[in-house]
Amino acid sequence: MPAPVLEVRGLSKSFKAVKAVRNVSFSIAKGRTFGIVGESGSGKSTTARLVLRLIDPTTGDIRFQGVDLAAMRQEELRRQRRHMQMIFQDPFGSLNGRMTVRETLTEPQLVHGIGAPASRAEVARNLLAEVGLPSSALDRFPHEFSGGQRQRIAIARALATNPELIVADEPVSALDVSVQAQVLNLMRDLQDRHGTTMLFISHDLRVVQFMCDEIAVMYLGEIVEQGPRDRIYGAPAHPYTQALLASAPGKGAGKRARLSGEIPSAHAVPSGCAFRTRCPHAHERCAIEPPVMRQLDDGQQAACHLLDQAVSV
Ligand code: SF4
C-alpha cells in the first residue's frame, strides 16, 4: 500500500481550559477525499486548521508526504504550503477585494517562485477555463461576481500551485442550494483530473456523502466513528451517527431516534462518553467510563460501550 499523503495521529488542541480537539487520528491516501462531518462546535474546522498548521497543535503528529509538519519551523512550513492549499467557506472574505482575478491567480505562483511572468499569466488563463469562467474575467474584481463564481475563483486560486492536498472547509455552505451542486461537481471533476487529495469539512451529510470516500464523524472535539462512506451511511454504528442521519432533511427517521437537544459547551464536556446527555441508549457506565474506539467490519470504527464485543483499536 502506498504511504498516505496525510497522516494525523493523536492530534489535540486546547484553548486555555477548552479542549477543542481531542486525540484525533486519520489518514488519507493519494487522490482520495476524506470527509469530517458534525454539528457546529464539533471541532471539525479547528482540525482543518491544525492540519495546515494555521494554528499549532497542543499535542500530536501531522505527517504530510512523510514529513512531520507539527515539528516544522515557519520557514520550512512556508515552503510546504505550496503543496497544501485551503478553500474557505466564504469566498468573498477569502479573496482580496483589491486584487483582480489575474493578480489573485498569479500571486500564489509568485509567492512560491513558480514559473516566469508570461507562464504565470498563461496558468491563470487556463485555471479560469478549468473552473468554467471566461478569460474576460481576468481583469475584473471579486465584487463583480456572484457567490458561486467567486468560489470558482477561490478554487482556481487553490489549484494555482498544483497542490498535493486541498483542505476545503464548508466550501459550499455559503452558496445558494441551486449553485452548490455545480460547485461540488466542479470540485470532483478537477480532483479527478489533477489527482488531488482532499480533506473535506462539512456539517451537511448529503454533501459529504456526495464528495467523500472515507468519513469521520466528530462530536465535541473527538472522532466517534469513521470508515468507508457506504458503511457510515448504510450501517452507522454509533448512536450519534445514527441520530444525525435520522435527522437529515429528506430522510425518514425510521426506527432510529432523531437528534435531540443542543451540543454541550466545550467548556463543560460531559464525563465518560461526551454524547451521553443526548444519547437514547445512555446507561450508568456511560457517565463513568469513556468508550474506546472499536474495530468493526470493512475498516469501520466506532467508540461506544454498546460495541464492547468488537476488538478495540
Ligand atoms: Fe450512548 Fe453510552 Fe454509546 Fe455513549 S457510550 S454513545 S452514551 S450508549
Side-chain angles (χ1 to χ4, degrees), residues 3-291:
V5 168
L6 180 70
E7 193 167 16
V8 170
R9 289 281 159 254
L11 193 63
S12 297
K13 177 67 180 176
S14 299
F15 298 101
K16 298 197 173 138
V18 176
K19 291 179 177 163
V21 171
R22 296 179 288 145
N23 199 24
V24 161
S25 299
F26 61 88
S27 61
I28 320 179
K30 181 169 175 52
R32 307 282 284 175
T33 300
F34 186 89
I36 302 182
V37 69
E39 294 165 281
S40 172
S42 62
K44 54 193 190 309
S45 289
T46 306
T47 302
R49 281 162 173 72
L50 286 169
V51 162
L52 293 179
R53 282 273 320 263
L54 298 177
I55 49 176
D56 290 332
T58 306
T59 55
D61 293 334
I62 309 159
R63 292 203 164 264
F64 172 66
Q65 298 187 306
V67 177
D68 184 4
L69 290 186
M72 204 168 263
R73 279 198 263 255
Q74 283 304 321
E75 183 53 29
E76 286 173 282
L77 204 52
R78 204 189 65 76
R79 281 198 291 274
Q80 285 293 333
R81 290 235 164 86
R82 167 182 176 172
H83 307 292
M84 312 178 295
Q85 295 290 327
M86 187 151 184
I87 300 170
F88 295 90
Q89 175 176 353
D90 174 9
F92 199 63
S94 70
L95 296 174
N96 184 336
R98 291 192 298 269
M99 285 168 81
T100 63
V101 172
R102 185 193 308 276
E103 290 163 340
T104 300
L105 299 183
T106 51
E107 192 208 29
Q109 303 175 67
L110 188 64
V111 166
H112 292 288
I114 302 168
S119 69
R120 286 178 205 136
E122 182 63 23
V123 168
R125 243 188 314 277
N126 291 340
L127 285 169
L128 264 194
E130 280 211 77
V131 299
L133 292 173
S135 54
S136 59
L138 280 169
D139 294 311
R140 293 161 63 192
F141 290 89
H143 71 266
E144 298 178 64
F145 297 91
S146 68
Q149 289 170 326
R150 284 198 291 264
Q151 198 58 302
R152 285 171 187 264
I153 296 165
I155 291 167
R157 183 185 56 182
L159 290 170
T161 59
N162 198 19
E164 188 63 50
L165 174 72
I166 286 184
V167 177
D169 186 7
E170 301 273 11
V172 295
S173 53
L175 304 178
D176 287 348
V177 174
S178 58
V179 181
Q180 287 186 0
Q182 294 169 17
V183 173
L184 291 172
N185 279 321
L186 171 69
M187 289 179 74
R188 279 220 334 204
D189 284 355
L190 291 172
Q191 186 186 19
D192 283 349
R193 227 177 295 154
H194 292 262
T196 318
T197 306
M198 199 180 303
L199 174 60
F200 192 95
I201 312 289
S202 179
H203 70 283
D204 188 327
L205 287 154
R206 291 167 305 175
V207 167
V208 171
Q209 186 175 20
F210 179 73
M211 287 298 292
C212 303
D213 305 299
E214 299 261 331
I215 292 160
V217 181
M218 280 189 82
Y219 188 77
L220 272 179
E222 285 180 310
I223 293 177
V224 296
E225 178 162 9
Q226 66 177 294
R229 172 188 54 209
D230 293 345
R231 294 286 306 180
I232 298 293
Y233 283 82
H238 195 281
Y240 178 55
T241 315
Q242 293 167 359
L244 267 184
L245 286 168
S247 309
K251 299 262 177 197
K255 290 190 185 133
R256 289 191 180 127
R258 289 174 188 265
L259 201 53
S260 62
E262 297 288 318
I263 191 167
S265 161
H267 289 269
V269 175
S271 62
C273 173
F275 185 55
R276 70 177 169 80
T277 53
R278 301 168 79 191
C279 180
H281 310 291
H283 49 284
E284 207 175 316
R285 183 179 169 203
C286 303
I288 302 163
E289 192 184 326

